[in-house]
Amino acid sequence: MPEELFADDDAPVEVLSSDVVFDGYVWDVRRESFEYGGETLRRDFVDHPGAVAVFALDDEDRVLVIKQYRHPVRRREWEPPAGLLDVASEPALDAAKRELAEEADLEADTWNVLVDYLTTPGGNNEAIRIYLARGVRATGSAFDREAEEADMELRWVPLSELVDAALDSRVQNPSLVIGALAASLSRSRGWSTLKPADAPWPARPGAGG
């Protein structure tokens, strides 16, 4: 008998109530009551639209990263181009292409799903899909950037250097750390782990695709 595939399981529960208790500027806090293990439980969590991130890789195995101010941690941190899935019904791939253009003035010929992950499943439902973009080139136009994006710094960094920085905790953005490790391992396997750009994404909040 084949061994069961090691994987997370979906766990459908009966949700008894679901209310927004804080209507935020970017995302909300939701309170839900649900049945689990024979009892009624109540939990508050950040209700997040989900996000995408892009590992843009050039012909020299360098990854495009940006340095941006993040107020909750009071740091300017390195991260891949990324953004919220806050446009109703927008396919995740379209959002990734938009973010790469808006944050880095780049487009790409080839897109694949590198890895999906849940950021903090004990406290929010944020799901992030990281794409690998190759055949990268300038769009020929430049976006006007404002707020935290106005002073972004862009840099092309060798993938191996990103891995070293992640393992040494010199960079701590989760999409950068997870993406760097996933890309390095995938490259060592001849990119055989990559998935189609339109691969199903059942964990995406409210959608699944």
Side-chain angles (χ1 to χ4, degrees), residues 89-181:
S89 302
E90 182 181 30
L93 178 59
D94 290 353
K97 291 179 177 180
R98 172 171 51 81
E99 291 297 337
L100 184 61
E102 290 181 359
E103 295 194 349
D105 302 319
L106 295 174
E107 56 189 1
D109 293 325
T110 304
W111 292 80
N112 292 97
V113 173
L114 179 60
V115 68
D116 299 330
Y117 74 98
L118 299 171
T119 61
T120 317
N124 70 54
N125 61 352
E126 180 183 16
I128 293 185
R129 166 159 282 187
I130 303 178
Y131 288 92
L132 182 73
R134 291 172 290 178
V136 180
R137 62 185 180 278
T139 59
S141 59
F143 275 84
D144 291 327
R145 301 179 179 95
E146 56 187 21
E148 294 97 333
E149 296 181 351
D151 64 348
M152 286 194 311
E153 178 183 345
L154 278 66
R155 186 181 300 182
W156 289 94
V157 181
L159 178 55
S160 58
E161 186 177 329
L162 284 185
V163 172
D164 289 343
L167 294 177
D168 197 35
S169 298
R170 287 181 279 115
V171 295
Q172 296 187 26
N173 176 271
S175 290
L176 184 60
V177 172
I178 291 171
L181 298 177

